[in-house]
Each structure stands twice: as C-alpha cells, then as structure tokens.
Amino acid sequence: MGKSQKKRQMRRHNPMRVPDSHLPKGLAAALASTSKEEAILPIIQKMDSPDAAERKWACVAVSNLIQNDPSTRRLLQGKNVVGSLITRLTDSEEEVVVEAGGALRNLCIDGGYDICAEMYNKNILTPLKTFIPKISVTLAQFLENPKNAPENVHNIMYEFADNVITILWCLSETSNKALNAINQISLVPFLMSFLGARDKLPISTVASAAHCLYVLTDDNYPAIQEVRSNGAYTACLLSVARPDENQKANGKGKAPSDDREVTLQVLCAGILKNISPIPPPSVAALADIDNEVVLPTIQLILSSISLPEINSRAEELIAQEIAMPDLKNLSIKGSPKSDHKSPAEIELAQIERKLRTVQLSLEILTGVCATLPDPEPVVDEGGDEDENEDEEMEDDDAEMAEDDAPAPTTSTTIHLPPFVPSLLGLIQPTELTFPPFLDAISPHPPTTSAIVAVHIAALECLNNIFLALATSLQAQQAGPSSADATIGRDIWTKIWAALEAVGTEVNCPGQGRRKDMWEVAVGVLWGIAVVWKGAIVPEDSQVNLLIQLCNVTSDPSLKVKCIGTLECLAQYRESIESNKLISQYLLSLVPSPVNSPGPSVEPHLQAVSALIDIFSDEMSPYDINFRQSGYLDELVGSVESVRKAIRGIDKKHERDLRRRGEEVRDNLVAFIEYRRGLQL
C-alpha cells in the first residue's frame, strides 16, 4: 500500500461544488433534467448581440443560471457557452469582458475538470495572458495613488483580477499540458505582488492569488524554483504563515476577523511546505517549516472545528431558506435574476469556505504525516534499523511488510500525533454528508460536497500516519507494546463506526462519494491492522464486508488493500474460525489450473503472500486450519500457475510488479519446502 500522494489529476484544490456524476450523460438528458430550457436560448442569442448591454446581460445570466444547477450547466455547455464566453473576453466593452470573466470563473468552480479542459482546448489562455500585464500596471497605479480612481473602479479591477487568477488556478489542475502552458506565462511575480500588498487589497483577491500559487508549487519544479530562490518571496510567505507566539505557546489565540485570513495563512504554510527545503540566505531557511509553521497552524484549525455543530447550523439555515420567498424570482421580467444573497445564503457560503479551509489543511497535513517521527523503542534487543527506510517511504507502491520479514524483536511504545483524535472526529458522517437515496440531491449540495471532502481528506491523513508507523515498525523489527493494544482497537472501532454510517449502497445514483470513502478507509484499516497485528479481534461482519468489497470491486489496488487487511486479521491467535474463513477465501484467489488470475495479477500475488505470512508460524493455534484443510497440497498445485501468471507481467511497463511477483514465487517455493520439512 502506498501513501496518499498529491496527484494533480485529483483536482483536490478545485472541487466540483455540485457533483453531477449521478446525472445521465448527453444533451438530451440535460434537457430532461432541467426546468430552465426556455431561459437558455435567449442567453445564447444575446451573447453575440450588437448591443453591449445585451451581451453583458447574457454573461451575467450564465452565472446566475448555473449556480448549484449541474443540469442547466451541462445544457449551456452543450450550446457552446464556453466558446461564446471566451470570445467575449476580447469584447470591445470592458464591462462585458469583466462579466464574461466572472461567468467563466464560476463555470470553472461549479463545473470542474471537464469545463476546464474545454476552456483550455478552446484557447482561453491567449486572452488571459494579455490581462496579466494590464492588471499589474493598474494594480501598481492604484497602490501608488489610491485616490486617483473611484472606489467602485478599484472594486471592479480587484474582482476581475480575482476571476482571472481563479481561472488560471483551476486550469493549472486540468492537465500537465495546461500546467506547462501556464508555466510559460511566469505567473509567480504577478501572484506574489498581491501577497506583498495584502494589507491594501481585498482579502478575497489575495487569497485567490495564494491559492493559485499553492497549486502551481504543487510538484511543479519551475514554480517551486522561482519562489524558493527569491528571499523576498519566502520571507513574505513566512510572515503570513507563521502563527504568533501566543498561538505557538498554547495552541490558542485570537482568531482572525475574516475566515479568509485563516485560509490565506494555511495556503502560505502549504506553499512553504511545497517549496521546502528553502536555501539560505532567506530568513525562511532558518525555520522548521513542518514543526514551526505547518503543524501549529493546522492543529489550531482542527481543534476548532466540529462537524456536528456545522451540520446542525447548516440545517437551520437551509430550513430558513426554504421558508423564505425566493427573492431571485422577483426580478423584472427579461432581466437576469438578482445576485442578492439572503443572510442565510451568506452564512452558508461562509460555512462552505470554512470547510474548504479545513479540507485544504488536511491535504497539507497528509504530506506531513508521511514523514512522522519514528516510535520510540522501549527494549532494544539488537534489531538493526533498515537503512533503506527513507527510500521505502518515498515509494508510491511501498509494501506494508516483506514476506520474509523476521518476527518483531523489540517492544515499542507508539506515540500517535496529537491531532489523531481530531481526525477520527472528522471522518464521522453527518446528516448532510451524502445526498438522500431517493433523489440523489442534497438539500444544499455545496455543503454536502465540502463535508464529504473533509471526511476523505481526514482519512487520507490517517492512511499516511499508519503507513508511516507500519513502515517504521518493520524497519525496527518491532511491534507495539501490549499497553498499546487498547489504543489500536479503539481506533479500529471508530473507523468502522464511520463506515457503518457510510453504508454499503455505494453504487446508487448520486452516491459515488460513499464509494470514495470506502476506498480510502480500507487503506486506513490495513495500516491499523499492520501496526497492531495480532491485537485486532476479527468480527465476522467486518470480515465478510471486506471479502464482499474485494469481490465486487474492479480496482486492483482496492483488492490488495482488502487482502492485506484480511491477512492481518487472520493472525489474531484466538480466532481460529475467523482464520479459517479468511484463509479459505485467500486460497480461492491463488492462481491455480482452474483459477486464472486474469489481467490484474497483483491481488492474486498478494493472496499468495498473505497465506505465507499467516502460516509462517506453525506453533500458532490457528495453524490447525493449514494442516487439517490440506492447504499445503493446494499451494503445491498452484506453483506452476503462479509462475505462469508472473511470466505474463510485462517486464518493460510493470517492472516493479514483475520483480515483486518473482519474490512471491521464490517465497512460495521456499515456504512449501519449509512446511514439507516440518512433516506436520
């Protein structure tokens, strides 16, 4: 099992606010699922009107119609609204350009990957590039002589800059092709100019600049190097990100007046994490970024968030919205709906923003959790530390345990990070986590989307925590002390409590995020099971669910996680019947003359490896299952099929898996000889 990695294609920083995976594909389906078909045609017609007022009206109408409405968004997309809006970015009227930028920005945020890809393919970068120097010049003029232009002119410029930056940030996560094109624009000085003048600019625009820079420095060397090598940039970022002394001392402190200030602080901490290590002579080079900047900032946020409280308040606000007349529908006929927001809508937007900041914090923390300090051994009986531990931690496909790893020789006290209890609280579903089963539409989709994103990000943190612990224990040839067993079982119970609330109906329309939670959570279960191997009591219901999930999923990685977890559960010494259930299932996955592994060999290799590990100790109480059920004969009969499956692995494209398969084959042959020699 590998770490939860930062993968650009996941678009974690540009979440689709209203997921539409439950909707049928195609224009006809979009027409059937929206009540706004009649409003679409006038918008498309007026987008090319000779009257600038009508072109502006059309741009504004797009923003209003797509809000929390994926069906209408898809319908507009089918009518080439993206191409029309990109054309309007070169309109002769500035007001039309501004509104077109706002509509495209909203499409990016509400539509996600598909629309961003369409924008890139339709060459949106060409007009966007021309705006960068113009905005820079205007910004410099405003900062130098703020009274030379009315306040409303300032606000329009800042809002337009925000829109342009947000589009670029979203496009940066669309594909490597789009990212490489954006690298050519050299955005770093432009974005840093907003951070440098943050005290004089709207916080929303500065936060957007920081978010764009955070995305650009996420595993993207050109941007990383440009920021890292500029001492003024890193000093600026550090001044925003570092908590004050009061916060560092006791974990408390006065909260910023605007939640976007918290977001800005987290983003700057994340940027510093992305570009570390920072070379001297920058003042940031002297700071321990993880321990002095990232962790204090994030721990403060995690300790102040309560999803049950947020859920309760959101439900109250949703009820208020339902009870109020829809002011947006009271607009004058023929004009776009009003963008006026009620107090309830404003507070719901603040809740969503707060949840997205928590999600962002958790994503940064996921990277930190992959390199947590080792547990401290209590008794050392001479086990050598694995010199390749660091290399294994960097391998995406690092295995939890080697087949021939020796039994633990050291008892270790495991010191879990202080934020683990907060993470366990953040994975528990609330009433708004998932849409209702009947209509697959949440009463407030943005809140639902943000809450479940927090759950998944917290699970990814836990995944890396327990992977790091498992790898460290393996390197030390150590196991947890007996006093830690209760901690492990308590964490295990809380993970399962969350999964029970998620439920198993993951393939229903609109319920895809339930499946996402299961996929990440099984990795967490595997990590816990490895760390506390032999201490987790296998419950039949949990074992059967893992077997069921392994059978129904088509994802080889998830199958491997299920098998790895079952392997550890089978080694609870007192559960002979559970061991029998698990081992018989694993044996059914072993390649044999009547059981071809098909195209995905890795899960079957994992099953072979698991059986070797489970029955490597012939003195265990459950070894009776191996002897009485004739497992040795079945493994002997599988050797040639295992060899054949391994020969089918492409050496060129799956080199690591081929090497892993050859190790499993050799271990299987050695294991058979060993068991034969015992003559039991």
Side-chain angles (χ1 to χ4, degrees):
M1 185 185 101
K3 302 188 296 298
S4 291
Q5 295 291 317
K6 289 183 177 180
K7 296 183 180 179
R8 188 166 304 283
Q9 61 268 29
M10 291 173 64
R11 292 171 22 260
R12 292 174 298 103
H13 319 297
N14 176 25
M16 186 182 292
R17 295 181 72 243
V18 187
D20 56 7
S21 57
H22 64 287
L23 294 174
K25 302 294 183 183
L27 190 57
L31 281 167
S33 55
T34 180
S35 61
K36 300 176 182 176
E37 178 187 356
E38 293 181 358
I40 301 298
L41 185 58
I43 291 174
I44 300 301
Q45 291 175 337
K46 292 183 179 181
M47 194 74 72
D48 296 318
S49 169
D51 185 345
E54 290 191 344
R55 298 197 301 273
K56 177 183 175 182
W57 177 93
C59 295
V60 174
V62 170
S63 293
N64 289 332
L65 282 179
I66 66 170
Q67 187 174 22
N68 299 341
D69 189 343
S71 296
T72 303
R73 184 180 68 236
R74 285 187 175 187
L75 184 57
L76 280 164
Q77 191 177 2
K79 299 292 187 179
N80 192 32
V81 72
V82 170
S84 297
L85 287 168
I86 292 174
T87 300
R88 297 278 68 79
L89 289 178
T90 55
D91 198 281
S92 57
E93 293 291 332
E94 287 188 1
E95 289 188 355
V96 177
V97 174
V98 170
E99 296 299 344
L104 287 164
R105 178 255 189 201
N106 292 343
L107 280 168
C108 281
I109 291 177
D110 272 17
Y113 173 81
D114 289 340
I115 283 183
C116 290
E118 182 182 351
M119 289 181 188
Y120 175 74
N121 291 334
K122 291 182 175 176
N123 202 26
I124 193 175
L125 286 182
T126 296
L128 289 183
K129 285 189 289 188
T130 66
F131 297 141
I132 303 301
K134 294 178 182 177
I135 293 172
S136 296
V137 170
T138 306
L139 177 65
Q141 292 173 346
F142 283 179
L143 292 175
E144 184 177 354
N145 297 299
K147 295 182 179 180
N148 279 4
E151 184 178 352
N152 67 314
V153 175
H154 285 234
N155 292 337
I156 290 172
M157 196 282 288
Y158 296 144
E159 182 178 350
F160 182 66
D162 193 333
N163 292 335
V164 170
I165 290 168
T166 302
I167 295 169
L168 289 167
W169 137 33
C170 295
L171 290 173
S172 298
E173 298 186 308
T174 300
S175 66
N176 285 330
K177 185 185 295 186
L179 177 65
N180 291 335
I182 289 171
N183 281 338
Q184 302 305 311
I185 302 176
S186 188
L187 277 180
V188 170
F190 174 70
L191 298 173
M192 283 302 308
S193 68
F194 287 88
L195 286 164
R198 61 190 178 279
D199 294 337
K200 302 175 183 177
L201 299 175
I203 185 64
S204 59
T205 307
V206 178
S208 293
H211 220 145
C212 188
L213 188 60
Y214 173 60
V215 171
L216 285 176
T217 55
D218 183 0
D219 196 25
N220 177 33
Y221 182 77
I224 290 172
Q225 184 59 22
E226 191 169 1
V227 178
R228 177 192 284 162
S229 61
N230 190 308
Y233 292 170
T234 53
C236 173
L237 292 166
L238 185 63
S239 68
V240 180
R242 191 195 293 269
D244 62 36
E245 295 301 320
N246 184 44
Q247 288 176 321
K248 287 195 291 182
N250 56 26
K252 300 178 180 179
K254 184 179 179 181
S257 57
D258 190 320
D259 53 17
R260 282 169 291 201
E261 293 180 15
V262 178
T263 305
L264 180 61
Q265 182 179 338
V266 173
L267 286 166
C268 289
I271 295 166
L272 290 169
K273 174 69 177 172
N274 286 347
I275 66 172
S276 294
I278 300 168
S282 169
V283 65
L286 303 175
D288 181 339
I289 299 299
D290 279 358
N291 293 314
E292 295 179 12
V293 180
V294 176
L295 287 176
T297 301
I298 292 175
Q299 283 181 243
L300 185 64
I301 290 169
L302 297 187
S303 64
S304 65
I305 188 77
S306 168
L307 289 187
E309 290 180 6
I310 283 179
N311 183 91
S312 177
R313 182 56 183 159
E315 288 185 323
E316 292 175 3
L317 294 168
I318 293 166
Q320 291 177 22
E321 278 296 286
I322 294 173
M324 289 177 62
D326 190 350
L327 296 180
K328 293 184 178 67
N329 289 330
L330 302 181
S331 299
I332 299 172
K333 185 176 180 180
S335 66
K337 293 180 179 180
S338 167
D339 61 359
H340 171 75
K341 290 185 177 181
S342 68
E345 286 180 305
I346 292 172
E347 189 172 346
L348 282 168
Q350 291 172 341
I351 287 174
E352 183 191 359
R353 204 157 51 232
K354 183 174 184 179
L355 288 168
R356 293 300 182 189
T357 299
V358 174
Q359 178 194 0
L360 173 66
S361 302
L362 291 168
E363 289 164 355
I364 296 169
L365 187 60
T366 296
V368 178
C369 289
T371 54
L372 290 170
D374 294 339
E376 297 180 2
V378 176
V379 178
D380 186 2
E381 298 183 8
D384 293 333
E385 190 174 33
D386 189 344
E387 294 179 358
N388 293 323
E389 179 185 347
D390 290 339
E391 181 179 343
E392 292 172 4
M393 287 294 294
E394 291 301 321
D395 186 355
D396 289 355
D397 300 312
E399 294 297 329
M400 276 293 195
E402 295 295 335
D403 296 327
D404 56 353
T409 59
T410 303
S411 176
T412 298
T413 299
I414 294 174
H415 298 289
L416 293 173
F419 44 81
V420 166
S422 295
L423 296 177
L424 292 171
L426 291 175
I427 68 171
Q428 304 301 325
T430 71
E431 289 81 356
L432 287 172
T433 294
F434 302 110
F437 280 105
L438 293 179
D439 56 11
I441 299 174
S442 164
H444 193 258
T447 301
T448 286
S449 177
I451 289 177
V452 76
V454 168
H455 294 326
I456 293 173
L459 283 168
E460 288 172 341
C461 281
L462 290 167
N463 179 69
N464 275 10
I465 288 170
F466 295 116
L467 173 62
L469 286 172
T471 306
S472 176
L473 290 171
Q474 176 195 340
Q476 297 179 28
Q477 299 179 15
S481 65
S482 58
D484 283 333
T486 301
I487 298 173
R489 286 193 287 266
D490 179 60
I491 295 172
W492 177 268
T493 299
K494 289 176 179 176
I495 301 294
W496 274 103
L499 288 174
E500 287 170 4
V502 171
T504 57
E505 296 174 292
V506 298
N507 293 318
C508 298
Q511 305 296 330
R513 297 296 268 170
R514 294 179 189 267
K515 182 180 179 182
D516 295 341
M517 281 195 68
W518 269 99
E519 290 177 350
V520 182
V522 173
V524 181
L525 291 173
W526 188 10
I528 296 168
V530 170
V531 173
W532 284 281
K533 186 181 291 187
I536 305 296
V537 182
E539 295 185 10
D540 287 348
S541 60
Q542 297 172 358
V543 170
N544 286 324
L545 269 174
L546 289 169
I547 290 174
Q548 179 186 351
L549 181 59
C550 190
N551 283 333
V552 301
T553 183
S554 59
D555 181 0
S557 174
L558 183 55
K559 284 181 180 289
V560 168
K561 294 176 186 178
C562 291
I563 293 167
T565 308
L566 290 166
E567 169 194 336
C568 298
L569 292 176
Q571 295 179 66
Y572 187 75
R573 298 179 71 84
E574 286 73 30
S575 293
I576 296 175
E577 287 304 312
S578 293
N579 174 278
K580 186 175 183 179
L581 173 63
I582 293 170
S583 58
Q584 287 180 344
Y585 174 67
L586 295 177
L587 198 63
S588 74
L589 299 177
V590 174
S592 69
V594 295
N595 180 25
S596 173
S600 301
V601 178
E602 188 176 8
H604 302 275
L605 295 177
Q606 186 70 32
V608 175
S609 175
L611 285 166
I612 295 171
D613 193 39
I614 292 167
F615 294 109
S616 61
D617 179 10
E618 69 278 4
M619 302 304 294
S620 62
Y622 52 72
D623 195 68
I624 190 172
N625 293 327
F626 187 90
R627 300 192 301 270
Q628 290 187 349
S629 300
Y631 288 179
L632 181 58
D633 291 340
E634 293 201 46
L635 289 175
V636 170
S638 73
V639 171
E640 187 55 38
S641 296
V642 171
R643 286 188 175 128
K644 183 179 178 180
I646 294 167
R647 285 197 297 269
I649 300 174
D650 191 317
K651 287 183 179 180
K652 182 176 180 180
H653 297 101
E654 297 181 286
R655 185 182 306 170
D656 291 342
L657 181 59
R658 178 65 180 258
R659 184 168 59 245
R660 165 73 172 154
E662 291 169 351
E663 291 174 357
V664 170
R665 176 202 60 203
D666 294 344
N667 289 339
L668 175 60
V669 172
F671 176 73
I672 289 170
E673 292 303 313
Y674 172 72
R675 293 297 309 206
R676 277 175 169 167
L678 294 175
Q679 297 184 345
L680 295 176

